[in-house]
Amino acid sequence: MTGPEVVTQRKAAVSVRGLTKTFGEGEYAVTALDAVEVDIRENEFFTLLGPSGCGKTTLLRLIAGFELPTHGVIALEGRDISALPPHRRPINTVFQSYALFPHMTVAENIGFGLRMLGKPAAEIRQTTERMLALVQLEAMAGRRTDQLSGGQQQRVALARALAPAPKVLLLDEPLAALDLKLRKNMQLELKSLQAETGITFVFVTHDQEEALTMSDRIAVMKSGRILQIGSPRDIYDRPTHRFVADFIGDINILDGTIESLDNGIASVRLKDGTAVLAQPGTATAARPGAASIAIRPENVRLAQAGETPTVSGTVENVVYFGAATNLHIRLATGEQMVIRNPGAVEEGRYRPGATIGAVLPPELIRVLE
Amino acid sequence: MADPATAVASPRSAPRRRRMVRDLKAMPGFTAMAWITIVALYLPIMVLVAFSFNENRSVVLWTGFSLDWYAKALENDGIRNAAWVSVKVALFATVISTIVATMAALATTRTRKFTGQGLVYGIINQPLMIPEIVTAIATLSLFALVKKLTGLNGIGYLMMAHAAFCIPFAYMPIRARLETMTLTLEQAAADLYAPPFKVFTLVTLPLLGPGIVSGAMLAFVVSLDDVIITLLIAGPGETTLPIYILGAIRRGITPEINAVSTILVAVSVLLVMLLFFVQRRMQR
């Protein structure tokens, strides 16, 4: 499937089986989740990634208990929790809007969960102090939440959700409201917090870069379905679906036809008749017939002197942006291809109109579903 | 081409709104209209207040300043009793109507949408839509029947009638407040292990507080000012202040009535100002 399993099999923290959620009734019914299956492992940083409306937030809300499934089961450490109300699930949420209680101080907010669990006052105070230190807000304990900056409110929300030491922490686009710099800092902070606490994080985002930076594993969602689950490397290097390949990073996609399959490697004929070898990610992708192949711009190489190019085309644009240079070429098939950092690019070496050959290493070409 | 007006006024788009407001003010007759409105609204009250300080017995002929009529009004047992009845009835009506209105507001905003929800709003707001005299006569007939069946008498009937028509006034600000409160805070509380009752007492109710206070104050003022229903329902010894004033006017207007009315206006204005203050605070 998506490469060898490197991580040793850990127990599933959250198991989702055949989970379907529809909103509305009759002809107005909208399917937000469609028979979703996923196992979120213990202590992992798991990300649900997808465009808005893909069902990622609905899945999170179902795990939290704010919505009840139409069909299917959600299990926490093997125990079916599908019918439990939110206050009886040992799962806490960091809301996108933070949802801090405006009539309580920072410390009262953080201690709320423990108070509801009936913990003794001394323990509540101790844990609250520890949490305040964890998110570096010791000085703010007595403040009202509306006196805090966005980043500080974010930390309070995080501390509040972590204080009761939940089995699973759900984070619903918690960084969306922060400015870029703060966001980058919080990404690293969240990641180290997760490692420190050992709590399973389920993180929802539509930002692919954020997902790649922070996650142990990513589930890419579209229209209520999970298309691919894998490590950031799996998702980036070995996308299985056209949507996944397109959604994450830049990629060149060429249309063709699978002619034969040999030892799991497909021979694909492009529109101009060129045959290339490529790796199908799934059984569906390996079916003979029309197919799309994909290769990252940084994996395309220019043909050396005397080397036979896989494809050739005409330079259309040279786009320089400091750390990298992109060469846009128009292939004989009529399709466009981008080559990133085509060897040492001296200024003015490739001019629009020049004909060049490119080499596509077969092991880096994927056949998409 | 760029909009010439914008280009001349300012390159930014922010002043656009301000300019529109200025334009409205510049329209012919704007100032005159404003003054007519202000005079129509406040001149009668100013006359009333002014003559409450008249030294003379007349309410049309000014002779000099005095506080005699206030002293007289405050010494008048009829007025004092009426004021006490008014306050008792208003307090009772406020408490009952605010509790009912709070429950109604929660039921109409914190539950799943149900068929006939529009009808429910209509039912709650009935006293706002049916002419008050009709409500008054209907209530009178019902109470007559109840009295006949039970033989019970007393001020309770008046209190119940007030509580009933105060409900929509208490309901409106509470519902408005609930609608601006997102469900997320309540969900956050539930997520942090608060069972439904704790969610209500620790999160919903404290946040709803300003709405409840506004609702209660509105109900109090409405009850305090009511004439028509009170006129029909009130029995002997249940004369409220507005009814007393009405009766006194029939015997001839004296500045004493002006003084009482001025006090009533002052109390209402004070409460409404307090209401605005509370609403300002809750918008924070």
Side-chain angles (χ1 to χ4, degrees):
Chain A
M1 289 279 287
T2 55
E5 201 65 75
V6 189
V7 192
T8 48
Q9 200 59 53
R10 280 179 293 189
K11 212 168 44 157
V14 181
S15 297
V16 171
R17 290 285 170 272
L19 196 64
T20 297
K21 176 70 186 175
T22 51
F23 291 104
E25 277 162 30
E27 56 183 310
Y28 300 110
V30 176
T31 305
L33 285 180
D34 189 1
V36 167
E37 306 259 331
V38 59
D39 279 315
I40 298 164
R41 297 173 193 143
E42 242 167 37
N43 307 341
E44 85 174 327
F45 197 119
F46 191 87
T47 298
L48 299 169
L49 174 66
S52 58
C54 71
K56 55 191 193 300
T57 296
T58 304
L59 178 53
L60 202 76
R61 291 175 62 80
L62 278 157
I63 298 173
F66 303 138
E67 309 280 355
L68 291 176
T70 309
H71 298 292
V73 173
I74 301 165
L76 182 73
E77 295 180 341
R79 194 167 61 101
D80 183 358
I81 57 162
S82 314
L84 289 185
H87 68 277
R88 294 184 49 205
R89 301 185 184 198
I91 294 172
N92 292 148
T93 309
V94 177
F95 293 85
Q96 186 172 7
S97 59
Y98 312 146
L100 300 178
F101 305 125
H103 56 300
M104 297 181 196
T105 63
V106 168
E108 284 166 349
N109 263 283
I110 296 175
F112 189 86
L114 293 164
R115 196 173 136 209
M116 289 304 106
L117 288 171
K119 301 286 184 206
E123 190 190 326
I124 296 176
R125 203 174 49 242
Q126 258 177 12
T127 311
T128 303
E129 275 165 19
R130 199 158 44 79
M131 287 299 143
L132 282 166
L134 190 70
V135 296
Q136 295 151 37
L137 284 176
E138 293 100 323
M140 305 288 171
R143 293 272 187 99
R144 297 236 154 206
T145 55
D146 57 5
Q147 298 171 310
L148 304 180
S149 71
Q152 290 169 332
Q153 292 188 9
Q154 214 313 275
R155 285 156 197 268
V156 176
L158 198 61
R160 183 180 70 174
L162 282 171
K167 296 237 159 60
V168 177
L169 186 73
L170 308 176
L171 303 104
D172 184 9
E173 308 219 19
L175 309 180
L178 303 180
D179 61 60
L180 190 68
K181 199 171 166 206
L182 201 53
R183 210 177 154 129
K184 296 275 174 211
N185 285 339
M186 280 307 291
Q187 284 178 6
L188 297 175
E189 240 173 89
L190 267 182
K191 182 75 188 146
S192 61
L193 257 180
Q194 193 266 330
E196 229 170 284
T197 55
I199 293 172
T200 308
F201 277 34
V202 183
F203 187 87
V204 159
T205 185
H206 62 266
D207 182 332
Q208 41 113 355
E209 201 184 310
E210 196 165 275
L212 292 175
T213 316
M214 304 171 73
S215 322
D216 293 321
R217 287 195 308 153
I218 300 170
V220 183
M221 295 186 68
K222 187 203 173 194
S223 316
R225 290 166 186 267
I226 293 179
L227 296 182
Q228 186 176 3
I229 302 176
S231 69
R233 280 220 85 98
D234 284 336
I235 301 286
Y236 188 82
D237 291 343
R238 295 174 286 277
T240 55
H241 292 69
R242 192 182 176 116
F243 177 82
V244 176
D246 220 13
F247 191 69
I248 291 144
D250 300 324
I251 201 154
N252 298 302
I253 296 177
L254 305 176
D255 290 324
T257 315
I258 296 184
E259 296 208 310
S260 63
L261 204 66
D262 180 24
N263 234 346
I265 294 176
S267 171
V268 181
R269 191 159 302 276
L270 299 183
K271 284 195 288 192
D272 65 344
T274 317
V276 296
L277 296 177
Q279 321 281 325
T282 63
T284 316
R287 262 186 236 144
S292 300
I293 61 162
I295 185 161
R296 298 277 172 201
E298 64 269 27
N299 292 337
V300 182
R301 187 161 67 68
L302 289 179
Q304 308 289 315
E307 194 180 10
T308 321
T310 321
V311 290
S312 53
T314 318
V315 176
E316 285 199 325
N317 257 319
V318 182
V319 184
Y320 171 75
F321 40 96
T325 304
N326 279 353
L327 213 57
H328 294 248
I329 63 173
R330 178 74 58 188
L331 298 179
T333 60
E335 289 157 311
Q336 215 190 31
M337 174 169 270
V338 179
I339 308 173
R340 184 160 302 157
N341 285 337
V345 182
E346 306 106 56
E347 235 180 305
R349 175 157 167 206
Y350 303 105
R351 294 196 176 281
T355 304
I356 56 166
V359 175
L360 315 181
E363 68 277 14
L364 298 175
I365 308 175
R366 311 295 300 176
V367 183
L368 303 175
E369 199 175 298
Chain B
M1 228 182 88
D3 176 11
T6 321
V8 171
S10 162
R12 287 163 299 156
S13 61
R16 177 156 245 169
R17 219 172 74 101
R18 214 183 307 141
R19 211 181 62 239
M20 241 183 70
V21 173
R22 216 171 30 229
D23 285 349
L24 187 63
K25 274 188 180 169
M27 274 168 70
F30 182 90
T31 313
M33 201 59 156
W35 277 110
I36 289 171
T37 309
I38 289 171
V39 166
L41 283 174
Y42 293 101
L43 192 61
I45 293 173
M46 277 156 64
V47 169
L48 171 100
V49 173
F51 278 97
S52 73
F53 296 109
N54 197 0
E55 175 188 58
N56 191 288
R57 210 186 151 69
S58 167
V59 290
V60 284
L61 193 74
W62 180 262
T63 50
F65 181 86
S66 109
L67 288 171
D68 285 357
W69 296 111
Y70 283 88
K72 252 204 170 107
L74 292 176
E75 279 166 16
N76 184 331
D77 277 343
I79 290 173
R80 277 157 65 166
N81 287 339
W84 175 231
V85 170
S86 271
V87 168
K88 263 196 301 192
V89 171
L91 280 179
F92 179 86
T94 301
V95 170
I96 299 295
S97 63
T98 306
I99 292 172
V100 173
T102 304
M103 293 195 295
L106 285 167
T108 47
T109 57
R110 282 299 184 267
T111 49
R112 235 165 240 287
K113 289 245 178 293
F114 51 89
T115 36
Q117 200 159 17
L119 188 70
V120 170
Y121 292 151
I123 289 170
I124 294 167
N125 289 327
Q126 176 269 348
L128 298 181
M129 290 183 284
I130 293 182
E132 199 181 347
I133 186 71
V134 176
T135 310
I137 291 166
T139 314
L140 182 66
S141 328
L142 175 73
F143 283 176
L145 194 67
V146 174
K147 274 182 192 165
K148 197 181 156 210
L149 290 175
T150 62
L152 289 173
N153 275 304
I155 200 167
Y157 290 104
L158 185 61
M159 288 174 162
M160 286 312 295
H162 272 237
F165 75 72
C166 284
I167 289 171
F169 295 97
Y171 172 77
M172 286 184 298
I174 298 174
R175 186 182 144 203
R177 174 70 175 167
L178 269 171
E179 277 175 350
T180 59
M181 277 163 54
T182 58
L183 271 173
T184 319
L185 287 174
E186 282 145 302
Q187 279 174 351
D191 188 64
L192 292 159
Y193 314 108
F197 182 70
K198 291 265 187 188
V199 173
F200 180 71
T201 56
L202 294 177
V203 176
T204 315
L205 212 50
L207 293 175
L208 192 51
I212 293 178
V213 171
S214 325
M217 284 196 297
L218 206 55
F220 189 83
V221 171
V222 167
S223 164
L224 208 59
D225 292 352
D226 180 73
V227 171
I228 298 175
I229 290 176
T230 314
L231 199 59
L232 267 68
I233 305 295
E238 294 167 13
T239 308
T240 63
L241 210 45
I243 303 301
Y244 180 88
I245 294 170
L246 203 61
I249 286 173
R250 289 211 191 96
R251 296 190 295 270
I253 304 175
T254 68
E256 188 181 1
I257 297 303
N258 289 32
V260 176
S261 305
T262 303
I263 293 173
L264 204 57
V265 167
V267 169
S268 295
V269 167
L270 218 64
L271 278 173
V272 171
M273 271 166 55
L274 209 63
L275 185 104
F276 275 121
F277 179 71
V278 169
Q279 276 171 344
R280 272 259 293 279
R281 267 198 53 183
M282 83 187 200
Q283 274 162 8
R284 260 194 326 148

